[in-house]
Amino acid sequence: MVSKNQIKLITSLQQKKYRLAHKLFFAEGVKVIQELLDSNIELEHLYTTQNNFDHVPADKLSLIHDNDLKKISALATPNTCLALFKIPVERELLTSGLIVALDGVRDPGNLGTILRLCDWYGVTQLVCSNDSVDLYNSKVVQATMGSISRVNVKYLDLEEFLATAKVPLFGTFMDGDNIYKASLPEEGIIVMGNEANGISEEIEGIIKNRISIPRFGDLKLTESLNVATATAIVLSEFKRNY
């Protein structure tokens, strides 16, 4: 059984202000939760309809009914488990190597997927403008499939950060140089823009290296690529020769 206070707390965490106030976020599903349990992120409490988890202390685990899970889940079709985790202390940003920077990315699925891509391609540092979607949004957490524990994410004044960067800056633009013909370094910052408007004018003025992903269809009528899809292609090209 889940108490009314527990239900109130967990459902409140769907809003950023309450996540910040309680310093908690939640994840759903066996795979995501197990990935987080295997990381350095601290478990607050695990609610599950089936005890599929080993090594979880008894005082941090509650076996509950399906109806109770429905009351606390953010999913239309709840999984079998939901876990509360403590938001970890923010880590220092490492400014060497390859960094991905997101300028106003608002869609939780896109941020989660980009975080997984960073994890796949060995990019350990991801910076986000302050108006990007919150990392601990439940939809972001689900989309990362556990990569949230392996990539360092930092929210900051992106314009200021890029203006003082000591590595090459790259941005994706429709009129940029063909990425398949560009000479791409091992170290730099790749800026990806907002889903609807691309990279903002303020940020665009700072970027010296403009790259694009060419369209190959005969009609070439597709307006743009999804930002997560574009990130996958760009990271693949940056990493291909290293």
Side-chain angles (χ1 to χ4, degrees):
M1 179 115 183
V2 185
S3 71
K4 288 183 178 179
N5 284 340
Q6 288 170 324
I7 293 171
K8 183 178 179 181
L9 168 63
I10 295 167
T11 55
S12 76
L13 297 179
Q14 294 185 39
Q15 297 182 54
K16 181 179 178 180
K17 64 179 180 180
Y18 293 113
R19 292 194 292 272
L20 292 175
H22 296 290
K23 294 182 172 53
L24 294 171
F25 72 97
F26 67 85
E28 300 190 62
V30 175
K31 176 170 174 50
V32 178
I33 291 174
Q34 190 59 62
E35 289 269 6
L36 294 174
L37 289 174
D38 292 338
S39 74
N40 293 324
I41 297 177
E42 186 178 349
L43 174 69
E44 176 74 10
H45 203 86
L46 171 61
Y47 302 89
T48 179
T49 59
Q50 304 169 14
N51 192 1
N52 297 320
F53 301 92
D54 298 324
H55 312 302
V56 174
D59 62 338
K60 291 195 173 186
L61 187 145
S62 296
L63 283 171
I64 62 174
H65 295 294
D66 290 337
N67 286 339
D68 288 323
L69 186 61
K70 288 179 182 177
K71 293 175 184 176
I72 58 177
S73 176
L75 302 175
T77 305
N79 207 293
T80 59
C81 48
L82 181 150
L84 295 182
F85 290 92
K86 294 183 179 180
I87 293 177
V89 175
E90 197 172 73
R91 289 179 283 164
E92 183 181 352
L93 178 68
L94 302 178
T95 54
S96 59
L98 198 60
I99 299 171
V100 172
L102 303 183
D103 181 15
V105 168
R106 308 289 175 80
D107 182 83
N110 282 336
L111 176 54
T113 302
I114 290 169
L115 213 145
R116 284 186 72 192
L117 288 165
C118 287
D119 191 17
W120 181 268
Y121 284 104
V123 175
T124 61
Q125 310 295 313
L126 174 66
V127 299
C128 300
S129 60
N130 287 318
D131 59 346
S132 293
V133 63
D134 180 40
L135 173 65
Y136 296 106
N137 177 301
S138 62
K139 292 180 180 178
V140 175
V141 175
Q142 293 307 114
T144 70
M145 294 301 290
S147 292
I148 191 172
S149 66
R150 292 185 290 271
V151 178
N152 185 28
V153 181
K154 181 91 168 176
Y155 287 79
L156 40 66
D157 182 323
L158 189 59
E159 184 178 357
E160 180 181 328
F161 171 72
L162 296 176
T164 57
K166 294 179 172 57
V167 294
L169 304 182
F170 292 82
T172 50
F173 299 93
M174 294 300 290
D175 63 351
D177 296 329
N178 186 333
I179 190 170
Y180 301 122
K181 297 179 180 179
S183 177
L184 304 173
E186 190 172 4
E187 185 172 75
I189 300 173
I190 305 166
V191 184
M192 307 300 295
N194 173 270
E195 291 87 349
N197 303 311
I199 294 172
S200 62
E201 290 184 10
E202 296 82 5
I203 301 299
E204 181 178 355
I206 302 171
I207 297 170
K208 291 186 171 58
N209 301 288
R210 300 167 67 95
I211 53 176
S212 69
I213 301 168
R215 291 176 291 188
F216 291 97
D218 291 335
L219 297 178
K220 298 184 180 179
L221 296 177
T222 307
E223 184 176 310
S224 64
L225 286 174
N226 168 275
V227 64
T229 301
T231 301
I233 296 169
V234 171
L235 284 179
S236 178
E237 283 302 299
F238 266 85
K239 288 292 187 175
R240 189 159 60 94
N241 296 318
Y242 298 102

